Amino acid sequence: MKITLDWLREHLDGDFTVADVVATLNRIGHEVEGVENPAEKLAGFRVARVLTAEKHPQADKLQVLTVDTGDGGAPLTVVCGAPNARAGLVGVLGLPGAVVPANGMELKVAAVRGVESNGMMCSTRELELGDDHDGIIELPADAPIGTPFADYSGAADPVVDISITPNRQDCMGVRGLARDLAAAGLGTLKPLAVPTIDGRGPMAIEIRTDDAEACPAFYGRTIAGIDNTVATPEWMRRRLEAIGQRSISALVDISNYVMFDLGRPSHIYDRAKLTGPLVARRAKQGETVTALNGKDYTLTDTMTVIADDRGVHDIAGIMGGEHSGCSDTTTDVLVEVAYFNPERIALTGQALALTSDARSRFERGVDPSFLGDATEIVTRLILDICGGTPSVMTKAGTPPTGTKTVDYDPALSATLGGIAIPEGDQQEILTSLGFSIASVSQDDRRIWRIAVPSWRRDVDAAPDIVEEVTRITGFDAVESVALPRSDGVAKPTATPEQLLERRLRRAAAAAGYHEAVTWSFVSDREAAPFGGGAWSLANPISEDLKVMRPSLLPGLLAAAARNQNRGQDSIRLFEIGRRYLADAEHPTLCIVMAGNKAERGWQAGKAAAFDAYDAKAAALALLDAAGAPADRLQVMEPIAEAGIWHPGQAATLRLGPKAVLAEFGALHPSLARHYDVDGAVMAMQIFLDAIPAKRASGPARSAFTPPALQPVRRDFAFLAPATLAAGDLVRAVKGADKAVIVDARLFDRFAGAGVPEGQVSLAVEVVLQPAEKSFAEAELKAIADKVVAAAAKVGAVLRG
């Protein structure tokens, strides 16, 4: 949103500078992105009068001018090729040293066909003031000679560029910003002059709304006998061009001016191009329209349009149609001022990938109570500038103008906002912002019942009122309060969940993985392989960021694809974030590995790719860093998610059948292709909310005392079904005698000669730890019998 001081003063009385405006806007929550001073690019250009104009002796199309610059010195000689250059003309002279805005050329004293030229008489295009390049600028004969052109044209007024947050739809017009500035003490808000138009007779064309959900109200009137060939008033054209809007025609400029001035879009139709009633309705599936930007759009039956008997004339609330726009021959018009449902406008704009100044206002929510006044204001400007005879105003439908109230305790400014603001000051702030206040009794105390103005769609509850009074007072007035301390040391404020994430973030980075931060939103296409998203945004940034992610994998896979496209051949990415499922959001750590684990070399040979065991090792290492009992985890089948994991190359790590702490393995090749990742991709996910919490008090484990005796190792070879998971056998062996068996591990797996078909030989090393004395042979045999019996329970027998 851009404003100028001249425009701001149309609504705000007071003595203030651009520095005052910038400082106040930043203080009350409107971030100023920059201040542009148009006078800087017009430095060196001044109002000048042509005294004589003679034909150039060496060129038929050039003239030699003598020009009075108004400085009291001798006239300057200037060579000019403009057809309208003549004696007596008052125009704009660029002096030597000036830089032409249109092309960046610095003007110098130079000979043109043998005649010295001391500058250049300029056209509007060269000064970026318009598109006219047929001749030099012609100013009124009484324009003050010698005046800097920036001062004369009003371009010396700085332009302030403001970033308006999405919730402040009321500040999408100059008046809304003026209201906030006045509440902050910078000047006094002027009353808005709303004219009363006496219409003559009914409208010449019927208007109505057949889509009350998307267009609850549609106001309009016709005006006959207008002249659209008249020039836009200088003051209006100057203000529009200062904020980057090209002046097009009087009618278009009027509509644009009201939109930027009051935040209220409108549309003006050429009535001669309409056939039958003008209706707000749902589009027909496949219906098309050519918009004012010259592009064709195919519509769906979820979109609202303004149409007549012939077809669509307007994509409602976003952009008008090309064929019903006004031209120089327009004599009769229909003025439309409507209210459109913000959510529907946003969805239509996103679906069509179509943006406009009108859309940016309608999708935030315009003032539903301002339809009639806006119609009168637009009409008055048309009558004053273009003339004509207006009809009476027609009102189709009813805008949603119910009054919203909020119960508010003034003490909340201190307890919630951190600033103790006197009640009188709060009341003054709220009143100046348009709120009205009544005192009521509630639970034996007096509170305020505040009526929210119709233009403040963002205010719903007491905290919103606190925000209003504190931001206008200034957040810099919030007192700094030190954190609670014990013995001079600040008490920790991080939660156990935050500490866990920090620990895992450091561990993953130390293991060589690069942290990625991806969007929490994905497209429908990206969410589809994971069963789709449980939650979708009603007003997303774009269609590609519509669904709250059901997994962290889409973002990391997209990042992996981008890295591959940029030549990375070894990708190790991790992210800690939230998955958004139907029941809740779940904190998760996800790792993606693609490409080469080790580069080729004279010692290592060929490059080695990542495999599922790398993902498993990463999961176990990070679970151990998180404090999970990694040594007691069971490797079990993956979670049943069709299409995500490669069959036979993925598994889960669990504490019991239901407590899934992590899943790992190779992603299904079709999933990798879905995200345009080349080659095999390994992944791992740790579900942080499934990790058991440590005991609240006492040590996590008993103090370590080195054993007095050396451990004893025994090897066992078992024949087992080929379908038996080795981890199940190792876990069974380890639990055979928990008092003395301290570890067990698989060290060999063999299938082939000497092993029956359908079976495998699994060799397990068992570590025994004697306590007070060494094992006797009988004790060792008893332990061995327990190991064999435990193995038999899972289907393994001792190999003979």
Side-chain angles (χ1 to χ4, degrees), residues 164-183:
I164 305 297
T165 54
N167 64 315
R168 292 305 307 277
Q169 66 281 346
D170 58 306
C171 289
M172 292 297 287
V174 176
R175 184 166 182 84
L177 290 166
R179 183 187 297 113
D180 264 23
L181 289 169

Side-chain angles (χ1 to χ4, degrees), residues 402-408 430-431 433-438 448-456 459 465:
T403 302
K404 183 167 41 177
T405 60
V406 174
D407 288 344
Y408 173 69
L430 293 171
T431 302
L433 289 173
F435 296 85
S436 57
I437 303 171
W448 292 352
R449 180 151 294 160
I450 300 175
V452 180
S454 57
W455 57 82
R456 290 305 301 272
V459 176
I465 301 297

Side-chain angles (χ1 to χ4, degrees), residues 243-572:
I243 65 171
Q245 291 294 311
R246 184 169 61 92
S247 178
I248 298 174
S249 70
L251 290 174
V252 174
D253 292 350
I254 288 169
S255 181
N256 283 338
Y257 182 81
V258 173
M259 177 171 61
F260 289 106
D261 186 45
L262 303 175
R264 167 27 91 177
S266 61
H267 195 71
I268 303 173
Y269 297 89
D270 186 333
R271 190 159 61 82
K273 300 176 181 178
L274 303 178
T275 303
L278 193 65
V279 183
R281 63 166 171 83
R282 292 288 182 96
K284 300 171 185 176
Q285 189 72 27
E287 204 166 17
T288 62
V289 61
T290 302
L292 284 172
N293 61 5
K295 297 181 180 179
D296 294 330
Y297 293 92
T298 301
L299 310 175
T300 69
D301 56 10
T302 64
M303 302 171 182
T304 301
V305 298
I306 308 296
D308 65 0
D309 291 346
R310 252 189 338 183
V312 175
H313 288 285
D314 190 353
I315 305 172
I318 300 178
M319 189 171 288
E322 185 178 58
H323 60 278
S324 61
C326 297
S327 65
D328 289 347
T329 61
T330 299
T331 57
D332 299 334
V333 297
L334 184 149
V335 177
E336 168 236 304
V337 177
Y339 180 85
F340 298 107
N341 180 289
E343 288 76 18
R344 291 286 300 280
I345 294 296
L347 291 173
T348 299
Q350 290 156 9
L352 297 177
L354 180 58
T355 60
S356 68
D357 290 312
R359 173 192 165 185
S360 69
R361 287 158 176 80
F362 277 123
E363 72 180 356
R364 296 176 186 225
V366 299
D367 184 358
S369 297
F370 195 60
L371 276 70
D373 289 350
T375 305
E376 300 284 57
I377 291 170
V378 173
T379 302
R380 172 49 59 199
L381 287 170
I382 293 174
L383 297 178
D384 289 347
I385 298 170
C386 302
T389 304
S391 72
V392 297
M393 185 193 308
T394 297
K395 301 178 180 180
T398 305
T401 55
T403 302
K404 183 167 41 177
T405 60
V406 174
D407 288 344
Y408 173 69
D409 184 348
L412 285 174
S413 74
T415 58
L416 189 60
I419 312 174
I421 306 172
E423 290 190 14
D425 292 350
Q426 292 192 53
Q427 190 165 10
E428 183 179 349
I429 289 170
L430 293 171
T431 302
S432 63
L433 289 173
F435 296 85
S436 57
I437 303 171
S439 182
V440 298
S441 296
Q442 187 181 85
D443 300 331
D444 298 327
R445 61 194 177 96
R446 302 296 296 176
I447 64 167
W448 292 352
R449 180 151 294 160
I450 300 175
V452 180
S454 57
W455 57 82
R456 290 305 301 272
R457 183 171 177 255
D458 59 308
V459 176
D460 293 307
D464 298 321
I465 301 297
V466 173
E467 180 183 359
E468 291 304 297
V469 296
T470 51
R471 75 179 180 86
I472 295 298
T473 300
F475 289 119
D476 53 353
V478 178
E479 183 180 353
S480 267
V481 179
L483 291 172
R485 292 177 176 268
S486 176
D487 299 326
V489 178
K491 294 181 179 180
T493 58
T495 64
E497 292 79 11
Q498 290 171 327
L499 293 173
L500 173 62
E501 291 184 9
R502 292 177 188 176
R503 188 162 61 250
L504 287 174
R505 187 171 281 109
R506 288 194 295 267
Y513 298 96
H514 301 283
E515 184 173 13
V517 179
T518 66
W519 288 100
S520 296
F521 313 106
V522 295
S523 65
D524 284 321
R525 174 185 176 275
E526 291 172 319
F530 302 90
W535 306 96
S536 294
L537 301 185
N539 186 17
I541 298 172
S542 72
E543 284 296 304
D544 290 336
L545 298 172
K546 181 179 181 180
V547 179
M548 300 186 76
R549 63 186 179 193
S551 170
L552 273 64
L553 282 169
L556 288 178
L557 289 172
R562 287 192 295 272
N563 276 272
Q564 282 187 342
N565 291 339
R566 287 160 176 76
Q568 293 295 322
D569 54 10
S570 180
I571 297 168
R572 307 163 185 250

Side-chain angles (χ1 to χ4, degrees), residues 23-166:
T24 306
L25 286 171
N26 282 322
R27 179 170 63 83
I28 62 178
H30 298 301
E31 182 184 359
V32 175
E33 295 191 326
V35 178
E36 177 187 348
N37 188 356
E40 293 178 355
K41 68 178 183 181
L42 294 179
F45 296 88
R46 66 174 59 182
V47 178
R49 185 189 306 277
V50 178
L51 300 177
T52 63
E54 302 291 342
K55 183 178 177 298
H56 193 291
Q58 302 296 329
D60 293 337
K61 294 184 179 181
L62 296 180
Q63 295 188 76
V64 179
L65 313 180
T66 57
V67 181
D68 179 9
T69 61
D71 60 1
L76 297 180
T77 300
V78 176
V79 177
C80 180
N84 63 329
R86 63 188 184 277
L89 179 144
V90 178
V92 180
L93 173 66
L95 296 171
V99 177
V100 179
N103 55 26
M105 178 181 69
E106 182 180 349
L107 300 179
K108 299 177 181 179
V109 177
V112 179
R113 296 288 186 91
V115 177
E116 184 180 87
S117 181
N118 294 275
M120 181 175 76
M121 298 297 292
C122 302
S123 68
T124 55
R125 185 190 295 180
E126 287 161 342
L127 298 184
E128 294 185 334
L129 300 176
D131 294 328
D132 186 11
H133 194 57
D134 294 334
I136 57 178
I137 296 172
E138 295 192 36
L139 301 177
D142 59 353
I145 307 303
T147 304
F149 182 64
D151 295 338
Y152 173 80
S153 65
D157 200 23
V159 179
V160 182
D161 190 0
I162 309 154
S163 176
I164 305 297
T165 54

Side-chain angles (χ1 to χ4, degrees), residues 602-618:
W602 66 274
Q603 290 179 310
K606 294 183 179 180
F610 291 104
D611 58 30
Y613 294 105
D614 295 314
K616 178 184 179 182

